[in-house]
Amino acid sequence: MGVCPFFFGANKKMLNKRADKLELLRIAEAVALEKSIDKELIINSMETGIARAAKSKFGQDNEIKVSINRDNGDIEIFRKLIVTENPENSNTEIKLEDAINLDESNKEKSVGDEVLQPLPTFDFGRIAAQIAKQVINSNVREAERDKQYNDYIDKKDSILSGIVKRLEFGNVIVDLGRTEAIIQKNELIPREIIKAGDRIKAYCFDVRREQRGQQIFLSRAHPKFMEKLFIQEVPEIYDGLIEIKSSSRDPGSRAKICVKAVDASLDPVGACVGMRGSRVQAVVNELQGEKIDIVNWSEDPAILVSNSLSPADVLRVNVDAERKKLDVILTEENLSKAIGRRGQNVRLATKLLNYEINIMTDKEDSERRQLEFKEKTENFVKNLELDETLGQLLVAEGFSTIDDIKDSSLENLSKIEGIEEDTAKALIERAKEFHEKDQEDISKRIKDLGLDETLINLKGLTPGMLVTLGEKKILKLEDFADLASDELTGGYDIIKGSKVKIEGYLEDFALSKDEADALIMSARSIVYKD
């Protein structure tokens, strides 16, 4: 529907009939009803549009005001003028006496006040009519978008249903009734066939103000879409008797969802599966056959990771809660099950738990432990000048570094069978001497490597870390700010179905991912502060 077609015809006299005036108000009312926006806003837009067109008639230097009577449709056009003692621009300024001549009511005005000079009505030419039309259409569109945003901002983080209107460059435009939403190509389930006219459900993950295009963004690939579907299908989740703790998805292939029973008498997994699998099957059908693993939540990360890696049978789990790392040990036969096709199973479990999961066989774990034991023993033997037996004894008692011995008390060391008080005292002294010499060597090494002062002064980086970074040619704060946390902490990646170790620059310093993120963000806040 056109906004106000009757006064946009070229050379058509406007306001010459009462019918035309009333038609203007009827058009405003009809457009407001059609677009579900305020009638007052439509009339204000008309006033702005006519004022813009009037400028093309009376001159761009004029400040024009248009008033449309809300009862009978009468249109009045005025030039805004400022009262001054000595006007320099007749288009914008006027003397007080001249203002009084225009209207007796201006007697109350003083210098600096605004007065309105009536202007004659005029015939709209083609260009003037087009200008007015553009202004009105623009304002109406803006009002529509504001209403659309306000109507749907509260529907963010919920499932919306609509009809597929059209497909554009791989994106799907969905008709939600009074407005449209978009499912971008990367938010669709891979290999899903969608046609115009299909009814579709999707998760509303964002509603934002945009000047052009859709403002409502939907997703069928988001993990939250699966969670919301379970809320719809499982009454116990909707009622709060079962809680969804986390979820992860490989859209169109496989997903995991972790659930916890608030009511101890409920079986959360069984409730989500439903009678003969009816509930989970309804979700699977909506997700185009995506396989879903429902995992029972546990506060113990070891139990939780064992549940998450099903159907693989886990032998044991070594938990490093501080660094959020899990070493999962299993038999050779279960290794491929735990990793999954192209690393899918362990990748989904990693996202589900928000822990780094390192999967290894019992043999690999034994070899790793032996290697660590040997390296720690050699460190004590070499740097503290101990015999191998004493070095092994210290490692067996839980001492990993020379700093552990330096910071230990004489009493604690003396309690170890085979270590007398004199030996304990000598161990602590040697550890302190080594630490002091090591710090001197590190300081010299930092200077020789040429590290920038801004990097040296970054809070959280130890001298040992600085040496390691310098050896890796990371000499400036800008170099450090450009790193990713994985480059510092290291980890494992699955390449062509095989687990590959990725070395981290600061891996030997037991840096957690959160600590690495904090260091990098701290560096970026300094480098990019402007």
Side-chain angles (χ1 to χ4, degrees):
M1 177 178 178
V3 178
C4 6
F6 87 96
F7 63 80
F8 288 134
N11 299 317
K12 183 165 183 177
K13 191 83 170 178
M14 74 174 202
L15 308 180
N16 58 347
K17 294 181 182 178
R18 177 173 173 78
D20 286 345
K21 300 174 185 180
L22 296 177
E23 180 69 10
L24 188 67
L25 297 177
R26 284 196 290 268
I27 288 170
E29 192 170 333
V31 173
L33 185 63
E34 179 189 350
K35 305 293 185 181
S36 297
I37 53 181
D38 187 11
K39 175 184 172 182
E40 185 65 21
L41 189 141
I42 302 295
I43 297 178
N44 288 340
S45 298
M46 288 178 174
E47 290 174 340
T48 305
I50 295 170
R52 187 76 61 84
K55 276 194 172 187
S56 68
K57 173 72 175 177
F58 298 108
Q60 296 296 327
D61 293 337
N62 293 288
E63 192 68 30
I64 304 294
K65 179 182 178 180
V66 174
S67 175
I68 299 176
N69 189 296
R70 271 52 171 175
D71 296 323
N72 57 30
D74 283 346
I75 296 180
E76 295 179 292
I77 304 175
F78 303 94
R79 177 190 284 125
K80 291 182 184 179
L81 299 169
I82 303 298
V83 177
T84 58
E85 292 181 357
N86 298 304
E88 295 180 0
N89 186 341
S90 61
N91 290 321
T92 58
E93 298 173 336
I94 189 171
K95 284 185 177 182
L96 181 58
E97 50 265 35
D98 292 336
I100 296 171
N101 290 333
L102 285 177
D103 193 328
E104 285 293 323
S105 64
N106 289 333
K107 285 182 178 180
E108 305 297 324
K109 302 288 185 180
S110 58
V111 173
D113 289 343
E114 180 185 282
V115 299
L116 297 177
Q117 177 188 11
L119 295 175
T121 58
F122 62 96
D123 289 343
F124 272 91
R126 182 178 61 82
I127 295 176
Q130 191 64 28
I131 290 171
K133 186 175 181 180
Q134 288 172 353
V135 171
I136 296 170
N137 284 337
S138 174
N139 288 353
V140 169
R141 280 196 300 269
E142 187 177 340
E144 276 189 281
R145 298 185 75 75
D146 284 343
K147 185 177 188 305
Q148 181 188 93
Y149 175 84
N150 294 328
D151 285 349
Y152 280 88
I153 188 64
D154 293 335
K155 295 181 181 179
K156 185 177 175 180
D157 194 37
S158 65
I159 288 181
L160 300 180
S161 178
I163 304 295
V164 175
K165 191 170 184 179
R166 64 186 182 276
L167 279 70
E168 293 181 350
F169 309 107
N171 302 324
V172 175
I173 308 302
V174 182
D175 185 354
L176 298 177
R178 287 191 174 273
T179 188
E180 293 179 356
I182 186 170
I183 308 178
Q184 294 172 321
K185 187 176 181 180
N186 61 320
E187 295 294 344
L188 291 166
I189 297 173
R191 298 175 295 280
E192 182 178 19
I193 299 173
I194 295 176
K195 304 185 296 295
D198 289 351
R199 176 160 287 279
I200 195 170
K201 289 181 179 179
Y203 171 70
C204 180
F205 69 91
D206 197 10
V207 179
R208 59 178 181 257
R209 295 187 186 274
E210 296 285 350
Q211 293 300 316
R212 302 183 65 182
Q214 284 72 26
Q215 300 186 116
I216 302 163
F217 297 85
L218 307 180
S219 173
R220 286 177 58 79
H222 202 288
K224 286 281 186 180
F225 181 46
M226 177 180 65
E227 292 184 15
K228 297 296 180 180
L229 289 173
F230 269 104
I231 292 173
Q232 289 183 351
E233 296 295 334
V234 183
E236 290 86 349
I237 298 178
Y238 182 83
D239 294 336
L241 301 175
I242 293 174
E243 181 183 353
I244 297 175
K245 300 296 291 185
S246 61
S247 63
S248 58
R249 284 181 68 193
D250 194 348
S253 178
R254 192 171 180 180
K256 292 180 184 288
I257 184 167
C258 193
V259 291
K260 173 189 176 183
V262 177
D263 185 342
S265 64
L266 283 175
D267 172 17
V269 175
C272 292
V273 171
M275 185 70 71
R276 297 180 182 176
S278 58
R279 292 175 175 176
V280 70
Q281 193 57 47
V283 178
V284 168
N285 291 341
E286 182 61 43
L287 299 181
Q288 304 297 304
E290 200 169 297
K291 294 178 182 177
I292 301 175
D293 298 333
I294 303 172
V295 178
N296 203 351
W297 167 263
S298 172
E299 297 289 345
D300 186 345
I303 297 174
L304 184 56
V305 75
S306 299
N307 295 340
S308 303
L309 291 174
S310 179
D313 293 325
V314 174
L315 291 178
R316 63 181 179 276
V317 180
N318 299 326
V319 181
D320 186 344
E322 186 178 341
R323 299 173 67 185
K324 300 205 79 173
K325 289 187 177 183
L326 300 172
D327 290 337
V328 180
I329 295 94
L330 27 66
T331 61
E332 193 78 41
E333 297 77 32
N334 282 283
L335 187 63
S336 59
K337 291 181 184 178
I339 294 174
R341 185 184 178 191
R342 296 179 181 174
Q344 185 184 63
N345 197 34
V346 68
R347 186 171 64 250
L348 290 174
T350 299
K351 292 179 182 177
L352 193 72
L353 275 69
N354 195 27
Y355 267 77
E356 181 184 324
I357 300 174
N358 178 24
I359 293 180
M360 62 183 71
T361 63
D362 196 21
K363 181 180 178 182
E364 288 174 334
D365 181 52
S366 177
E367 289 174 351
R368 180 179 63 85
R369 288 174 177 274
Q370 290 176 15
L371 181 61
E372 287 180 356
F373 189 90
K374 182 180 179 183
E375 287 175 348
K376 290 173 184 178
T377 301
E378 288 177 350
N379 181 34
F380 291 153
V381 170
K382 177 183 176 182
N383 295 308
L384 298 182
E385 299 179 359
L386 309 178
D387 59 56
E388 190 171 351
T389 303
L390 183 53
Q392 291 175 345
L393 178 60
L394 289 168
V395 176
E397 290 294 330
F399 292 90
S400 299
T401 65
I402 293 176
D403 279 351
D404 290 343
I405 298 174
K406 174 181 73 73
D407 297 333
S408 181
S409 66
L410 190 64
E411 183 182 358
N412 287 339
L413 279 173
S414 301
K415 288 180 180 178
I416 300 173
E417 188 175 347
I419 297 182
E420 297 177 353
E421 187 174 334
D422 290 344
T423 305
K425 187 176 181 181
L427 281 171
I428 293 173
E429 288 176 356
R430 290 185 188 183
K432 287 180 178 179
E433 289 174 3
F434 175 82
H435 177 77
E436 290 174 5
K437 184 177 182 302
D438 189 50
Q439 291 302 303
E440 291 174 3
D441 292 342
I442 288 174
S443 298
K444 184 177 183 302
R445 182 68 177 141
I446 289 173
K447 187 177 180 181
D448 293 342
L449 286 168
L451 271 76
D452 194 86
E453 281 295 322
T454 53
L455 182 59
I456 294 172
N457 295 331
L458 182 65
K459 189 176 180 180
L461 288 179
T462 65
M465 291 178 182
L466 290 169
V467 170
T468 303
L469 291 171
E471 290 171 346
K472 301 292 184 181
K473 304 302 179 186
I474 299 168
L475 305 176
K476 297 181 179 180
L477 191 64
E478 290 84 350
D479 301 332
F480 186 81
D482 288 337
L483 296 176
S485 58
D486 289 345
E487 292 180 272
L488 295 182
T489 60
Y492 290 86
D493 198 3
I494 306 299
I495 300 177
K496 295 182 179 179
S498 300
K499 185 178 65 175
V500 178
K501 181 74 173 72
I502 306 298
E503 298 291 340
Y505 295 146
L506 303 181
E507 188 171 344
D508 293 338
F509 295 90
L511 198 67
S512 70
K513 189 177 186 303
D514 288 342
E515 290 170 335
D517 283 334
L519 282 171
I520 292 170
M521 293 309 295
S522 177
R524 289 176 181 174
S525 68
I526 298 171
V527 173
Y528 305 116
K529 63 182 178 181
D530 296 329

